[in-house]
Amino acid sequence: MNPYEALKGFAMKQFFSYLDRDPETNIPKLLDMLEKHDKDGNAVTLETRGVRKLISDPNSNWSKLLKSLWTDIDAGQRRILAANAIINGTLIGTPKTMKLQDKYQCNIPWTILIDPTSACNLHCIGCWAAEYGNKLDLSFEQLDSIIKQGKDLGIYVYLYSGGEPLVRKADIIRLCEKHNDCAFLAFTNGTLIDDAFADEMLRVKNFVPAFSVEGFEEATDSRRGEGTYRKVIEAMARLKARKLLFGISCCYTSKNVEVIGSEEYFDAMIDMGAKFAWLFTYMPIGADAVPELLVSAEQRKFMFDQIHKFRSTKPIFTMDFWNDGDAVGGCVAGGRGYCHINANGDVEPCAFIHYSDSNIKEKPLLDCFRSPLFMAYRRNQPFNENMLRPCPVLDNPGRLTDMVEESGAHSTDLKSPEKACDYCNRCVFTAQRWALVADEIWQSLPNRWGVQRTGKMAKKS
């Protein structure tokens, strides 16, 4: 170990020891210290003030969530995840990424979503993985190379999807061991998490699952197969017993949105031990798409209102990847915040955008980020000056078609390739209806991005 790494390790150990002694008292003190050393008085001060406001009331949902990270989560895992995701991924990785973005004039993401395999033990309605079939895999060496290249670019947080990523349990644990300075999360159906794998998770400590659940038993089993919900609940209980961090991943559709957005559902997931919830809306991808599952404008607003209400009442962290564009400046795909690498090695802008002009087997990761498709994303983001209409497909159909045609990208769906215009056309009516509602909401929100509030598409200079 070089002297710098030894010093960093010592400093981190002291930092976490200080927090663990009295988190309620010492977290505000650390926020004070950050503000004091924020010489520009900009981002850090604003963020620390926001955090302090959220946790100032000891009875607030945010204070309860924060406290639960000490009472409910294994101390070793808490320290490793904080070190890998916050210190490595943000404090060390982000400045490096920003310098490289300036140098190469391209997007470099904070995290990469990778499909280790297209294989799955289930066949869920509306899942994009079903379009790839069950015959694609990235080898351990290819996965290892992606992570090595990513760390060279300042990327220390990696997500897995599929297929079912835990079909590759052994390789996932090996990658956690080899890259113990990274944080790994997986979107999983949860049915393969047995006692042995839960013990491995506790041993490596840098792996976190997000369980895919579509509501309660009837809704989950109707989409994922009979008995799935029971197996997921059993897996959650295993992790809770071991004090391991986990969350949920919910795809809301026209059929289940009222359940997913209900207090009853969120309270149940919190009681089971979930600390975060990633929310997605149904996208009509591929030949087997069911456009009727697209949520209506009224249903999408219902979810927007519910999640914003829960953020002041429920002790769980939530992110809605379509309705939170105002918080992140619109679309985060195309390497702006993240990108997707499928099980064939195709580097895609988004898990819901199955088009690519680069493959990780053929060129370095940085060259993939500088490809014509990713550069088109960089030039065109945000796709709408109303950040509540972030998506180039669901909210602005036609924007994806333009970028695919301009870049010469191809469909990565090996089973049923489709034109980008056909994909976008399924969303035209939905986009038109949502625009009326989203523009009204947008006018009422704080103007944190300094954009004009006309609700029209963003103009590029």
Side-chain angles (χ1 to χ4, degrees):
M1 180 182 293
N2 62 46
Y4 172 75
E5 290 294 324
L7 182 62
K8 186 178 78 169
F10 176 76
M12 285 166 49
K13 187 176 293 185
Q14 296 298 108
F15 172 81
F16 292 122
S17 176
Y18 177 72
L19 278 186
D20 286 343
R21 281 199 297 271
D22 187 355
E24 286 187 69
T25 301
N26 293 339
I27 287 176
K29 287 183 179 179
L30 286 171
L31 296 177
D32 290 338
M33 184 173 64
L34 285 171
E35 282 194 38
K36 182 178 180 181
H37 289 87
D38 181 21
K39 297 180 181 179
D40 297 327
N42 293 319
V44 172
T45 297
L46 291 172
E47 293 298 326
T48 54
R49 287 176 181 170
V51 172
R52 181 182 287 105
K53 183 179 179 180
L54 290 173
I55 66 174
S56 60
D57 178 2
N59 296 314
S60 74
N61 59 308
W62 290 103
S63 288
K64 291 177 181 177
L65 176 60
L66 185 65
K67 291 174 187 176
S68 75
L69 298 181
W70 267 263
T71 59
D72 300 350
I73 304 302
D74 175 78
Q77 184 182 50
R78 184 177 62 248
R79 293 174 183 177
I80 285 175
L81 290 175
N84 295 358
I86 298 174
I87 295 177
N88 293 344
T90 301
L91 299 181
I92 294 174
T94 297
K96 183 175 184 178
T97 293
M98 292 177 69
K99 288 181 181 179
L100 291 171
Q101 285 185 140
D102 288 340
K103 179 178 179 179
Y104 293 105
Q105 288 299 296
C106 68
N107 287 337
I108 298 176
W110 183 76
T111 185
I112 300 175
L113 176 65
I114 310 170
D115 296 350
T117 180
S118 65
C120 185
N121 59 323
L122 303 179
H123 190 86
C124 305
I125 299 170
C127 176
W128 76 73
E131 294 299 312
Y132 291 111
N134 294 320
K135 299 179 180 179
L136 300 177
D137 288 287
L138 290 172
S139 68
F140 175 86
E141 291 73 23
Q142 289 165 339
L143 293 167
D144 181 46
S145 175
I146 291 169
I147 297 167
K148 284 180 178 177
Q149 292 181 66
K151 288 198 291 186
D152 288 342
L153 300 174
I155 305 167
Y156 287 87
V157 178
Y158 295 87
L159 316 177
Y160 295 123
S161 60
E164 168 51 51
L166 296 189
V167 168
R168 300 283 299 280
K169 283 182 186 180
D171 284 338
I172 283 177
I173 292 296
R174 285 178 65 196
L175 290 166
C176 287
E177 291 173 321
K178 185 168 185 179
H179 300 283
N180 58 9
D181 54 350
C182 292
F184 298 94
L185 182 145
F187 296 98
T188 173
N189 62 48
T191 61
L192 300 178
I193 297 180
D194 53 17
D195 284 323
F197 186 71
D199 288 340
E200 285 291 88
M201 289 174 57
L202 183 59
R203 180 176 66 83
V204 296
K205 301 187 187 301
N206 58 341
F207 176 80
V208 178
F211 292 95
S212 297
V213 281
E214 300 347 300
F216 294 109
E217 186 168 13
E218 181 179 357
T220 297
D221 287 2
S222 67
R223 181 172 182 237
R224 299 186 177 276
E226 186 176 354
T228 301
Y229 184 80
R230 177 181 54 79
K231 291 179 180 179
V232 171
I233 301 310
E234 290 173 354
M236 287 182 176
R238 288 188 181 97
L239 301 192
K240 186 176 182 180
R242 291 167 173 79
K243 290 194 168 186
L244 287 167
L245 180 67
F246 67 87
I248 57 174
S249 170
C250 307
C251 175
Y252 56 92
T253 73
S254 62
K255 304 300 182 184
N256 71 358
V257 64
E258 285 79 12
V259 174
I260 295 293
S262 69
E263 293 214 25
E264 180 186 13
Y265 176 69
F266 265 77
D267 289 343
M269 294 299 107
I270 292 167
D271 287 344
M272 289 173 191
K275 300 300 181 187
F276 62 88
W278 304 145
L279 297 150
F280 305 87
T281 192
Y282 174 77
M283 294 290 285
I285 298 171
D288 297 329
V290 185
E292 293 76 19
L293 290 177
L294 285 164
V295 293
S296 67
E298 293 75 19
Q299 289 174 323
R300 186 165 169 181
K301 184 178 185 299
F302 164 78
M303 185 61 74
F304 176 91
D305 291 339
Q306 289 295 93
I307 296 304
H308 279 70
K309 180 178 73 174
F310 293 162
R311 284 178 182 152
S312 62
T313 59
K314 307 292 183 188
I316 187 170
F317 179 83
T318 57
M319 179 62 74
D320 185 328
F321 288 88
W322 271 263
N323 284 344
D324 280 332
D326 63 308
V328 294
C331 173
V332 296
R336 180 172 170 264
Y338 98 110
C339 69
H340 179 230
I341 301 176
N342 70 22
N344 192 47
D346 299 308
V347 184
E348 303 169 335
C350 174
F352 300 93
I353 304 295
H354 294 180
Y355 302 90
S356 178
D357 57 3
S358 300
N359 191 291
I360 198 65
K361 301 173 186 177
E362 301 168 354
K363 62 174 73 171
L365 188 58
L366 179 59
D367 287 353
C368 296
F369 296 153
R370 301 174 73 190
S371 73
L373 181 58
F374 273 62
M375 295 304 289
Y377 257 76
R378 179 178 171 89
R379 287 192 301 272
N380 283 278
Q381 288 167 322
F383 297 109
N384 197 300
E385 64 188 29
N386 181 340
M387 306 298 178
L388 297 179
R389 297 166 59 190
C391 183
V393 180
L394 185 61
D395 303 315
N396 305 281
R399 299 302 295 271
L400 176 67
T401 303
D402 292 342
M403 292 188 294
V404 168
E405 292 179 352
E406 171 192 339
S407 64
H410 63 275
S411 172
T412 56
D413 189 327
L414 301 181
K415 181 181 177 183
S416 303
E418 68 175 346
K419 295 180 180 179
C421 61
D422 293 337
Y423 180 25
C424 289
N425 285 343
R426 297 189 192 110
C427 301
V428 171
F429 178 77
T430 300
Q432 291 172 343
R433 301 286 291 180
W434 173 243
L436 300 175
V437 176
D439 288 349
E440 184 176 345
I441 300 173
W442 181 240
Q443 295 295 331
S444 68
L445 295 176
N447 191 350
R448 73 178 83 194
W449 297 100
V451 300
Q452 296 179 6
R453 292 305 182 87
T454 63
K456 297 177 181 177
M457 285 189 179
K459 301 295 182 182
K460 290 291 177 178
S461 58

